[in-house]
Amino acid sequence: MERFIEGVVMGTTGNIAQVRASKHSECEHCGICAGTNAVILDVIDETGVKRGQRVLIENKQTNKILVAFMVYIVPILAVGCGIFLGYYLSLRVTIPAFLLMILGGLIFGLPVMYLLKHLDRSLKAEKPVIIRIIK
């Protein structure tokens, strides 16, 4: 998504404004947003905008490669380490290997999934901010 977006204020609720912004080239074939030419964004309003005003929005940029790595690769690595350690431990004790491998995968995988869920909530909390009103 672009760093700065122009849009029109559709309404406000407290310090949150609903802004209709036109789609950009990255969104053409996405299909997630409602409508064909615009998307409604919830943005933080620090300037006191009113309905119908044109505004400039600063969109927070996230490192998409890092987020994809965290979501897809880290859980696989964590579960894989748990399975490997479960297998290694099964060579030392008399408990069946498959049981310790499953247990190790769960012990290592569940905390990572919890941390990713917490990270997802913190990323969703970062809303775009209205920089200024365009005359």
Side-chain angles (χ1 to χ4, degrees):
M1 219 173 181
E2 298 173 3
R3 182 162 168 82
F4 297 103
I5 304 169
E6 287 186 26
V8 177
V9 177
M10 302 302 292
T12 60
T13 308
N15 68 338
I16 302 293
Q18 292 78 32
V19 176
R20 183 177 57 105
S22 56
K23 287 186 177 183
H24 36 81
S25 61
E26 293 177 359
C27 286
E28 280 187 23
H29 303 291
C30 174
I32 292 176
C33 305
T36 58
N37 294 330
V39 60
I40 305 292
L41 300 171
D42 286 336
V43 276
I44 297 173
D45 174 23
E46 297 173 347
T47 59
V49 297
K50 296 180 181 114
R51 183 183 171 120
Q53 289 181 319
R54 293 190 58 78
V55 293
L56 185 64
I57 302 166
E58 180 182 15
N59 192 19
K60 307 274 190 216
Q61 296 289 328
T62 58
N63 190 344
K64 293 177 184 176
I65 294 174
L66 178 62
V67 171
F69 179 78
M70 293 292 293
V71 169
Y72 294 110
I73 304 300
V74 171
I76 291 172
L77 290 175
V79 171
C81 287
I83 290 171
F84 175 75
L85 289 174
Y87 177 74
Y88 181 75
L89 187 62
S90 73
L91 298 175
R92 306 278 183 217
V93 296
T94 58
I95 300 173
F98 73 91
L99 184 62
L100 285 176
M101 289 168 67
I102 291 172
L103 190 61
L106 288 173
I107 288 173
F108 278 70
L110 291 177
V112 168
M113 297 306 281
Y114 174 77
L115 290 173
L116 286 176
K117 188 169 185 165
H118 180 70
L119 176 69
D120 182 49
R121 285 186 188 150
S122 68
L123 287 176
K124 283 183 181 177
E126 292 182 13
K127 292 185 188 276
V129 178
I130 295 176
I131 299 174
R132 64 185 163 112
I133 299 169
I134 300 172
K135 303 271 176 175

